[in-house]
Amino acid sequence: MKTSRIIWIVVAVILVLLVFRGCSGYNSLVTLREQVERDWANVENVYQRRADLIPNLVATVKGYAEHEQETFTQVVEARAKATSINIDAANMTDEDLKRFQAAQGEISSALSRLIAVAENYPDLKANQNFLELQAQLEGTENRISTERRKFNETAQLYNTAIKTFPTVIFAGWFGFKERPYFAAQEGADVAPTVEF
C-alpha cells in the first residue's frame, strides 16, 4: 500500500511539473509572438513616416523643376503601391515580406531619382524647406534600418523558441508559426562603381 501511494505521489508531482512547464513555455511563446508583432508595427510606422514625407518633398521639388513630371509620377505611383500593401503580422509569410520589400524598394529608387533631379537645380538645393525634408528623409531611412534590424532580432528569438525542445511541442499544438526575416535587397552585396 505504501509503495503504490509513493508511486502515485511521484506521478502526480511529475504531472504537476509538466503542466507548469507547459504553461511557462506557452506563455513565453505568446510573449515572443507579441514582441514580433510590436516590432513589425514599428517597422510599418517608420515606413509610413517616409510615405508621409513624400508628398511634401515632391511638392517642394515641383515648384522648382516643373518639367520633371515623369519623375514625380514615378515617386507618387511607388508611394501609392507601397502604402496599399498591408501585412497581418500574425499571419506574415515570406512572400508577403518580399512583396512589401519590393514595393519599398521601388519607393527608395524613385526617391533617389527625385533627389538626383534636385541636384540640377541650385535654387532648390539651397531651399530651406527642401533641405529640412531631405534631412528628415535621411533620418527616417536610418530609423527604417534600425527597426528592420530589431524586427529581425525579435523574429530570430521567436523562431528559435518555437524550434527548441520542449517548446516545439507547444508551438505545434497551439499553431505558433515561423516568422520571415528582412533580407538584403538583391545586388546589395555588390559595391557600386564610382567614376570621376
Side-chain angles (χ1 to χ4, degrees), residues 34-116:
E34 291 300 316
Q35 289 172 347
V36 169
E37 290 177 11
R38 175 206 60 208
D39 286 352
W40 176 250
N42 289 341
V43 167
E44 287 182 318
N45 183 40
V46 291
Y47 275 116
Q48 184 60 51
R49 175 176 165 69
R50 177 173 75 170
D52 292 345
L53 289 171
I54 291 172
N56 292 333
L57 188 63
V58 168
T60 301
V61 174
K62 242 184 200 180
Y64 288 86
E66 291 177 6
H67 63 281
E68 302 286 350
Q69 192 59 40
E70 182 181 341
T71 303
F72 302 139
T73 303
Q74 290 171 346
V75 172
V76 170
E77 287 174 355
R79 179 185 181 271
K81 181 178 179 182
T83 56
S84 71
I85 296 175
N86 294 313
I87 298 177
D88 177 15
N91 298 309
M92 183 186 305
T93 64
D94 260 344
E95 293 77 31
D96 291 337
L97 193 56
K98 285 177 184 172
R99 199 173 77 247
F100 181 84
Q101 274 188 267
Q104 295 300 333
E106 287 180 30
I107 285 184
S108 295
S109 179
L111 284 173
S112 295
R113 287 191 297 277
L114 184 67
I115 299 299

